[in-house]
Every structure is written in structure tokens, then in C-alpha cells.
Amino acid sequence: MNAPQQGFKERADAELKNAVLKIAIDRTTGNAERKRAVAVAAFPEFQAARARGRAIKDHVIAHLDHYLEMFERNATAAGATVHWASDDAEARAIITRICLEADAKLVTRAKSMLGEEIGLPHALADAGIERVETDLAEHIIQLAGERPSHIVWPAMHRTREQVAILFKEAHHPPPAADDPATMVQSARRELRARFLGADIGISGANFLVADTGATCTVTNEGNAELTTTPPRIHIVTAGIEKLVPSTAHAFALLRLLVRSATGGEMTQYTTLHCGPKRPGDADGPEEMHIVLVDNGRTRMLADEFRPMLRCIRCGACMNHCVVYRQIGGHAYGGTYPGPMGAVLTPVLDGLAQSRDLPHACTMNGRCAEVCPVEIPLPTLLRAWRTRSWRERLEPRSVRAALGLWAMAARRPGLYRLGSRIGVRALRLFGRRGWIASLPLAGGWTAYRDLPRPLGRTFMEQYRAEQARKEGRR
Amino acid sequence: MTARDRILAAIRAARPAPLPPAEAIAAEAAALLDAPESVRPRPVEAVLAAEFVRKASALGTSFDHLPDRAAIPLAVNRYLDTHGLPPALALQPAPALAALDWTGIDTHDAVAPDQTAALGLALWGIAETGSLVIHSGADAPILLSFLPLHHIVVLEERSLLPHLEDYAARMAGQPQPRNAILITGPSGTTDIEGSYVRGAHGPGFLHVLMIGG
């Protein structure tokens, strides 16, 4: 569905040359990294809470059918209609059908990455339904005709000046200045009438609470409640891995989610949506529909990517990723960027289309260190690399080079001879201790220098050292 | 085969052993909530109200401490005056608020799209996070807490709960409202360059009238 148009390398190259993007990414991820560190330091029980969070997710994943049926039973009892979708196309069809049957002209939407994953924005446009994104960042990228570049801050690739240009064109009246406060006020004014005039409100869910049938959203702006209360119909789209046994379990995960995402302790609005308007209620939708989406998740349940189902979409892995912070989210080409995206995109779009993503990783392990549910992201990325090799998706040059290396590595004599020639040959390209350019390695030396080797291999030096010691004895 | 059947069948096919009985799963789930004090933040203040005020103030919530409910209208008047707002108020249609003497303030039930100020009741406060709890209901419109620029909330000090789990415990096995909302500070956003701006879509000001002690 969301397969990238051009290659990852071309996109990453283009983004690396974008100096404004680098500033924008640094401002947001730098802030997020600092604030998370402070929040974690202020919560000495964080590591214990993290282990507990992981255990809660593992418990749900191990009993997913039990909790799905429990959730369906309780949500139905609360008056909601539960729909099931095996893939993105089924999910789009269900939502479009609800909108068309309700004769909906205007749909408001509160940010949901699952909605992006299933291609909901395009599906609504194709059905001729007007869609208004209500999260401020989603509003910005809707005006820009872009996709999210981060799962928590979808518009983090845009500077304030770039946002001002969009708002001045789209808002009536345009904002009077381009400082963030004036622009936020402008969006508030502009979107207010849309909230109240919508026929349908669509939200995602951070948690699905099995024992009550409620869906839980967390936002800081208040746009989710303004999206889900005024319209006649509220639709929730959620991945089946979002289940938790009870509200208390959701709270245990919430403590991890907020600290890991923004460095806050609690989101401004933590809302449980349980069924439609009750008889006599002062406000609320008359219908609530919940679309439970699989889209590759049951496949992950059965293979080595199962731990990825723990993910609570906090974005800490990308905030701490050296690759993400250089190239930004759009270069990844899928719905989800960064380390978690490099694991998920091959599941969603196929490994053949996205084999570059698991390779775009330095294996420094920071993502796994900060993951609030202990997902071994580097291990999962390595698993994709292994699969890519086994399925013969690696390019011929890589296969040939690795084949050559493997051949030598199995013959110690040949390997040592090769190293002896290699370190001596490399010295020919070096000046004053560094190699600044090297034939066939321009991709490396264009950005960095290589230290000039000493001229003898480790094995040669080791032998010489041993011989010297022997001589002394 | 429906999508539901396909999904459930795939989940069952991925499991090596049969599903344990529901009681065993419930016991395992309950054990994951054991020793909550080992996985949640410890309060700094010994007194619940002090901890609540500390947490909520840090997020930009302002406070006024009142001896009883009768003092509410005067406190509201003072707040509106301090902020240079007209003496008009959307009032949550709850008997406890309607019973008060609103002389001098133009109160109305309906909340306008550009409402300046509204007054509502919180069911509980949660000290751990500085959150106010509201539920939807016949006398509790949700939009009253989201449309106004200034949201004024009445909270009884005796309704304070120490932790998030204490609220979950109150609601376990009870009839659930359509919406249960934990409001933690005024609405805000960091979506433009990470700069924090108050009053994104919801209220830009959150003011708590804390009753009794």
C-alpha cells in the first residue's frame, strides 16, 4: 500500500543534503531526548515499571484471542459495533462503507498511525468525503500534502517559518504573526467550526481495554474529544495488539508511554471511550464503531518478530537513533520510520520493497536501551538482514563480496595472506595517518577519512611480540 | 470464513499449547498488578492535597482554596475579574451548582463554540499525576470541558485519590460512562518546533476550586 516510489538510498541522500531538515529534527528529537532522561531519572522505579510493562504486553500477546473476544463482548454490550479487518483493504472498505451509508460529507480525524498504515486518508478522498485532520501537526501536513515524518510529532520536519507559509494561505483570516503561539491560535479558530460541523469523527486507540470494552486515547491538545463527541458517529481504528486486560493495566503502560514519548508524566487528556451516547446523556455520538485491524500482526505472532507486537508507539527509538536524526522520517518511505519502522515496514510492505531499511542501522543498541517495553530492536533488524540474505534479496555485488569473504574466512592461510596484502596496499593511499580517498570506496570516503593502517596485521604483530618474549626468557 | 474467524484462527495456530482456562488467565493478569508501589512514582508530599497541588501546578493549573461550596460564586467572580473576562459562565447542569447563588454572573446551560469560561465538577482528583476526573452523563456534557478558553473545575478535597490504580479500582465492575476523562493541566501542543503553546484546541487555562480540607 505504502511502498516507496524511489529507492531508500536516493531519498536518504536527498535528505542528508537538506540543512533545514537537520535543524528541524535536532530541535525536536534533542528536546525529547533531554526531557525523557529527566523524566526517567525522576522515577527510580522506571526499570521495574518497564519490566512490568513488557510482562503485561507479553501476557496479552500470549492470550490475544481470549482478550479480543472479551473486548468484543464488552464493547458490544456497551453499545458499540465491532468490525474485524484482516488487512488494510478490508479496513478501508469497512470505514468507507460506514461513511457512505451515513451519507457523511465531512469527517474529522484525530491522529492515528494505524489510520496512516491502512491508507485511510486516500480512501476517504477516493470516496469523495472531506477529511479534516484535527491534531495540529496532522493539520500542518494535510495542508502541505505530506505524510507524517514521526509517529509522535508528524510535522517535526517543518520549521516555524514553513508552517507560517501554509497557514497564511489556508487560514481565513491568516495568522497575524509566525510565532508558534499565534499560529496555534489561528489553527484553533480555523478548526473550531469543522469540529462542530462534522458528520463522523475518526480516532485511533492507544489501548483497548478488554474488561470494559473501552478504547483509550491520549492527547495533549484536546482534539480527540472534540473529534469524537460532536459528530453523530464515532469510528475507532485500532491494531489488535493494542489490547490490555483492564484499565489498571492501561495505566501501568501509560506511565511508560508518556515518559518515553515526550518526557512528560501524564498526557493532558487521557480518555476512555466506552460505547455511544447513553440514553439521557448531554452529548456524544449515537453510533460507535470499532475496527480491529490485523494487517500482518497475526503473521508476526508466529515468527521471530513477535516481540515487536509489544510496541506502544512512543517514538523513543527514533528520537535516540543516529540514522533517523540524520535522514528524518520521510526517507524511510513507510508509515513508521526509525528503528521500529525498519522492523515493521518489511512486515507491511514486504521485504523485497524495504530490504534497505534493516541495513540502515549502526547496531549501536540505543533504541533497545530506551524502549519502554524492552523490544530487542537490533536483534529484529538483524533477523530481517538474515532473511534478506536467505531469500536472495541482497544485490549481486553484496552477495559476491560476502561470498568472497566467506571463502577466505574458511581458509585461515588465505585470509591471513589477504590481510597482509590489504594493510600494505591501504598504506599506499594514506597521507599523514589518514586515507581521504580510496578507489571503489568513494561512498565511504566522501563523508569520512579512514585511519591509515600500521602496515602489519594483528597476527603479524602478535607473533613478533610472542617471539620477543620467548627470546627474553 | 469471516475476517474475525481468520484472525482468531491465525492467533490459535501460532500458539503451541491450548489456551489456559479463563480463571488462570485472569489470575496471571491480576498478578501483573501486584506490588504497585514498586512500579509507580512515590509521592513527595505526605499530604494528598499538597501532592495534588504540587503536581497540577507544575503543569500550569491554578488553584483557589475554598471552605465550602457556598463560596464558589464569589471565587468564580474573582477569577473572571482577575483575567478581565465578562461576568458570563457556562454552568454544568448539575443540581449542586444550580443551587448556588449566581447573582451578578450571567450563567447558562449551553456551552458556546467560542465560550470564554465554563464551570464544572470533578468526580475525583488523582494526586500522582495532578489529574481531574470527569465522566459524561445527563448532567455532564463533555464539550463543557473542551470548548471554553477558561475551564474552572470544582474539586472536593475528600475526593482525592493517591494513584491512578485507585481510580481504576473505583471503576472496576461499575457501569462505565461513555467518556471517562483524566484532565491533566490545560490543553497544549509542542507540534511546531517543539515549542510548548497552551490552549491548542481545548482550554488554555485550567483553574481548580478546591473545597474543604
Side-chain angles (χ1 to χ4, degrees):
Chain A
M1 171 71 213
N2 293 317
Q5 294 304 306
Q6 44 168 171
F8 169 74
K9 283 181 183 144
E10 289 75 34
R11 288 193 306 271
D13 264 347
E15 302 290 43
L16 281 171
K17 295 189 180 93
N18 185 343
V20 178
L21 175 70
K22 187 78 180 76
I23 294 168
I25 296 172
D26 278 349
R27 281 179 188 165
T28 306
T29 56
N31 243 330
E33 185 179 0
R34 274 188 299 277
K35 286 171 70 184
R36 177 197 171 273
V38 171
V40 169
F43 181 19
E45 295 81 2
F46 184 79
Q47 292 306 331
R50 190 173 172 232
R52 189 73 71 92
R54 172 196 173 151
I56 291 172
K57 290 300 291 191
D58 282 345
H59 167 80
V60 170
I61 294 163
H63 308 101
L64 198 53
D65 47 345
H66 169 77
Y67 284 117
L68 278 167
E69 287 181 313
M70 185 194 280
F71 174 80
E72 181 189 41
R73 205 162 49 239
N74 289 318
T76 307
T81 307
V82 178
H83 307 261
W84 302 66
S86 293
D87 56 24
D88 52 348
E90 283 184 15
R92 289 195 300 273
I94 291 166
I95 298 160
T96 318
R97 197 190 63 232
I98 297 169
C99 292
L100 293 177
E101 280 175 6
D103 199 17
K105 301 282 182 289
L106 176 63
V107 167
T108 45
R109 198 168 152 252
K111 176 177 165 291
S112 144
M113 288 311 295
L114 186 96
E116 303 290 332
E117 178 189 318
I118 61 172
L120 188 53
H122 282 294
L124 292 173
D126 290 348
I129 299 159
E130 190 189 357
R131 163 182 61 99
V132 173
E133 295 292 341
T134 63
D135 172 76
L136 183 66
E138 293 278 350
H139 174 60
I140 293 167
I141 61 169
Q142 182 176 26
L143 293 179
E146 290 176 318
R147 296 173 49 175
S149 66
H150 190 286
I151 63 171
V152 175
W153 292 282
M156 61 108 77
H157 57 284
R158 294 213 153 236
T159 61
R160 161 166 64 91
E161 294 82 1
Q162 293 173 323
V163 174
I165 293 169
L166 293 171
F167 281 13
K168 275 176 186 155
E169 207 167 283
H171 289 183
H172 305 286
D178 68 0
D179 61 288
T182 307
M183 289 197 286
V184 170
Q185 288 319 306
S186 181
R188 178 189 172 99
R189 224 176 16 244
E190 188 73 21
L191 289 174
R192 190 52 58 114
R194 315 311 303 274
F195 278 125
L196 300 172
D199 304 299
I200 295 183
I202 305 180
S203 75
N206 293 90
F207 306 106
L208 301 171
V209 184
D211 76 345
T212 62
T215 68
C216 178
T217 56
V218 301
T219 76
N220 291 325
E221 297 179 6
N223 63 309
E225 294 70 18
L226 287 169
T227 298
T228 58
T229 295
R232 202 170 61 72
I233 299 174
H234 172 200
I235 304 175
V236 180
T237 59
I240 53 173
E241 85 286 9
K242 293 283 177 192
L243 277 159
V244 288
S246 75
T247 310
H249 294 90
F251 288 157
L253 290 168
L254 185 64
R255 288 191 183 105
L256 299 167
L257 172 63
V258 186
R259 286 172 175 85
S260 302
T262 63
E265 291 184 5
M266 186 75 176
T267 35
Q268 269 88 336
Y269 302 105
T270 305
T271 300
L272 295 157
H273 309 261
C274 189
K277 182 178 181 174
R278 307 282 187 268
D281 265 5
D283 53 16
E286 283 154 36
E287 289 176 33
M288 182 189 194
H289 295 268
I290 303 165
V291 186
L292 301 173
V293 182
D294 179 347
N295 205 29
R297 287 162 177 77
T298 52
R299 248 189 352 261
M300 292 163 72
L301 203 57
D303 64 24
E304 67 265 50
F305 301 103
R306 183 180 170 109
M308 195 61 215
L309 290 169
R310 281 183 216 144
C311 180
I312 53 174
R313 307 289 192 260
C314 70
C317 60
M318 56 198 78
N319 293 338
H320 292 75
C321 174
V322 289
V323 176
Y324 178 90
R325 287 173 71 153
Q326 291 299 322
I327 64 175
H330 286 153
Y332 288 82
T335 302
Y336 304 99
M340 55 81 79
V343 174
L344 281 176
T345 306
V347 175
L348 299 170
D349 296 346
L351 184 58
Q353 276 76 48
S354 53
R355 63 155 288 280
D356 280 325
L357 300 184
H359 286 275
C361 167
T362 66
M363 294 280 154
N364 71 6
R366 294 197 74 202
C367 50
E369 268 169 44
V370 297
C371 176
V373 282
E374 301 180 338
I375 299 172
L377 288 154
T379 308
L380 300 183
L381 290 168
R382 246 191 326 264
W384 276 128
R385 292 182 185 182
T386 307
R387 253 202 217 191
S388 176
W389 175 267
R390 292 221 174 104
E391 293 176 13
R392 308 187 72 84
L393 295 170
E394 298 298 307
R396 196 177 297 166
S397 58
V398 173
R399 296 193 72 86
L402 272 173
L404 201 63
W405 181 84
M407 200 253 302
R410 281 196 297 263
R411 294 169 178 79
L414 184 62
Y415 193 89
R416 276 179 218 150
L417 176 68
S419 325
R420 279 205 296 276
I421 296 170
V423 291
R424 284 167 179 85
L426 275 176
R427 278 182 70 78
L428 301 176
F429 297 95
R431 266 191 216 128
R432 279 186 253 113
W434 295 94
I435 299 171
S437 74
L438 198 62
L440 302 176
W444 172 278
T445 54
Y447 298 101
R448 34 194 146 19
D449 294 344
L450 199 67
R452 188 179 181 221
L454 285 172
R456 289 197 302 161
T457 64
F458 171 79
M459 290 304 284
E460 286 176 289
Q461 295 184 58
Y462 181 75
R463 275 211 205 98
E465 179 67 13
Q466 291 304 101
R468 196 176 58 80
K469 279 188 191 159
E470 287 291 319
R472 228 188 252 164
R473 228 174 258 166
Chain B
M1 211 181 188
T2 63
R4 183 184 188 279
D5 296 338
R6 272 197 302 276
I7 292 169
L8 292 174
I11 294 168
R12 281 160 197 156
R15 186 173 28 239
L19 191 73
E23 302 74 41
I25 301 174
E28 197 180 304
L32 290 166
L33 299 172
D34 277 349
E37 61 289 343
S38 64
V39 290
R40 69 187 177 198
R42 269 164 293 181
V44 169
E45 302 284 346
V47 180
L48 218 47
E51 181 72 0
F52 180 84
V53 171
R54 185 179 80 87
K55 282 297 195 184
S57 305
L59 299 161
T61 303
S62 57
F63 282 89
D64 199 349
H65 297 268
L66 309 178
D68 50 42
R69 284 190 176 180
I72 292 172
L74 205 63
V76 169
N77 228 330
R78 198 159 55 231
Y79 178 86
L80 297 177
D81 203 44
T82 309
H83 286 82
L85 304 175
L89 193 67
L91 201 61
Q92 180 183 334
L97 293 179
L100 300 171
D101 176 10
W102 291 104
T103 313
I105 299 180
D106 174 22
T107 62
H108 41 100
D109 268 6
V111 55
D114 58 349
Q115 186 72 43
T116 310
L119 178 72
L121 300 166
L123 296 173
W124 292 282
I126 301 171
E128 175 191 338
T129 52
S131 308
L132 300 159
V133 183
I134 62 161
H135 285 180
S136 58
D139 61 0
I142 289 304
L143 291 181
L144 184 106
S145 304
F146 287 89
L147 290 176
L149 186 60
H150 294 259
H151 186 205
I152 310 171
V153 183
V154 175
L155 175 67
E156 302 277 350
E157 203 175 314
R158 61 165 188 274
S159 306
L160 285 173
L161 303 170
H163 288 282
L164 291 166
E165 286 87 357
D166 298 299
Y167 167 65
R170 292 284 167 118
M171 290 308 293
Q174 298 295 311
Q176 306 290 315
R178 175 186 79 86
N179 264 180
I181 308 183
L182 276 53
I183 299 176
T184 313
S187 149
T189 182
T190 54
D191 277 347
I192 301 176
E193 287 190 354
S195 291
Y196 176 65
V197 178
R198 272 165 65 155
H201 288 301
F205 300 85
L206 182 62
H207 185 64
V208 172
L209 304 177
M210 190 104 105
I211 311 282

